[in-house]
Amino acid sequence: MPTPRRVLVPLPSRDFDPTEAAVPWKRLTDAGHDVVFATPCAQPAQADPIMLSGVGLWLWKPLLRAEPYGVACYEQMVRSAAFGAPLRWDAVDADEYHALLLPGGHAKGMREYLESRELQAVVARFFAARRPVGAICHGTLLVARSISPLTGKSVLHGLKSTGLQRRQEWAAYLLTALYMGKYYRTYDVAMETELRSFLADPANDYLPGPLPLKRDSPSDLSAGFTVLDANYPYLSARWPGDANKFAADFLTLIEGLKE
């Protein structure tokens, strides 16, 4: 039986992606690990309601909303004691955790999370201590914006990462812009574009993966795509369709830690 690990999962007050948080939570807790949540005001976070219900997605609801397994994991997660009693972001001591997991989300409520100096400092601390960090979708942008105090550059400078593809972001935006406006545009600059700007070799250090036409599932991880940097325990993924593989690979990563 692997030694139980303590994993920190920061979330914004609202608009995080339910699948990207809950599927890894389910995999980690089922394996006996301790997941600790943190939010800006120590109040339970609220997931993006459109991803949960599909309201407003019109014809694209089956394609864009969270799949049933992700919703079921989310419903279990929000009933957990840990989710109901998060820490405050400014009360987090990074040294108390074995690993850091960063979900994503695209709606505007994610901006406080992506722009938080407190969280960026936490991320930098994990990288300085060389403890595992997992990030999916816009969670990779939070990592990229985190600056190492040793180098003055992004903690991802010199590492490899994936993240939400520009074509994914634009496709979702163009399908829904007529009636949802910029719901799928977190910022005017595409996430991939900004992420690449922090990398040492933008052309080669960002790995887009195959065209994301299918989502993975708990029983079939083959459609999922993740990147584990060869020189650092940093795992990244692109979108909710990678969430099951991301969760499985992150579990493997933390269970491989030396005592």
Side-chain angles (χ1 to χ4, degrees):
M1 183 73 176
T3 302
R5 305 299 185 185
R6 199 165 190 238
V7 181
L8 176 66
V9 181
L11 295 171
S13 299
R14 62 183 178 89
D15 282 346
F16 69 91
D17 185 275
T19 302
E20 294 171 359
V23 168
W25 168 86
K26 174 71 171 170
R27 176 82 64 156
L28 291 169
T29 54
D30 282 356
H33 300 290
D34 182 21
V35 175
V36 177
F37 294 95
T39 61
C41 299
Q43 295 296 317
Q46 303 293 319
D48 182 344
I50 294 174
M51 288 294 95
L52 288 169
S53 68
V55 171
L57 294 177
W58 198 43
L59 294 177
W60 312 112
K61 178 177 177 179
L63 177 66
L64 297 175
R65 69 164 291 189
E67 292 196 327
Y69 178 71
V71 174
C73 290
Y74 173 77
E75 291 173 348
Q76 291 181 42
M77 183 179 75
V78 297
R79 294 194 297 268
S80 70
F83 189 85
L87 302 176
R88 287 176 63 101
W89 284 349
D90 60 10
V92 167
D93 181 351
D95 294 334
E96 295 182 353
Y97 302 91
H98 297 99
L100 175 66
L101 192 144
L102 301 169
H106 55 266
K108 299 301 186 288
M110 286 293 294
R111 287 182 175 181
E112 66 171 347
Y113 170 84
L114 299 172
E115 298 168 9
S116 169
R117 298 297 186 188
E118 292 165 338
L119 292 186
Q120 290 170 17
V122 169
V123 173
R125 178 62 185 166
F126 272 89
F127 272 80
R130 298 190 68 82
R131 290 195 296 273
V133 175
I136 181 170
C137 194
H138 279 67
T140 63
L141 183 58
L142 172 57
V143 177
R145 288 176 171 180
S146 301
I147 305 302
S148 166
L150 297 177
T151 66
K153 298 178 181 178
S154 168
V155 296
L156 289 188
H157 192 84
L159 302 184
K160 294 189 182 297
S161 182
T162 191
L164 183 69
Q165 296 179 359
R166 185 186 300 109
R167 59 186 172 184
Q168 288 180 284
E169 185 174 354
W170 271 99
Y173 166 66
L174 292 173
L175 288 174
T176 61
L178 184 62
Y179 48 94
M180 299 190 75
K182 290 187 175 182
Y183 165 68
Y184 273 101
R185 299 301 310 279
T186 314
Y187 297 98
D188 288 339
V189 174
M191 202 215 81
E192 179 190 329
T193 300
E194 184 176 351
L195 176 61
R196 284 179 181 268
S197 74
F198 287 102
L199 303 177
D201 183 355
N204 295 306
D205 289 347
Y206 173 82
L207 304 177
L211 188 65
L213 297 176
K214 291 178 58 180
R215 300 185 189 221
D216 62 16
S217 72
S219 59
D220 183 359
L221 305 180
S222 62
F225 178 75
T226 64
V227 172
L228 177 62
D229 188 88
N231 300 308
Y232 186 87
Y234 167 64
L235 179 74
S236 55
R238 305 168 301 178
W239 71 305
D242 297 329
N244 288 282
K245 179 169 173 54
F246 174 71
D249 290 351
F250 189 73
L251 179 64
T252 298
L253 183 62
I254 68 168
E255 290 188 343
L257 292 173
K258 294 180 180 180
E259 300 300 327

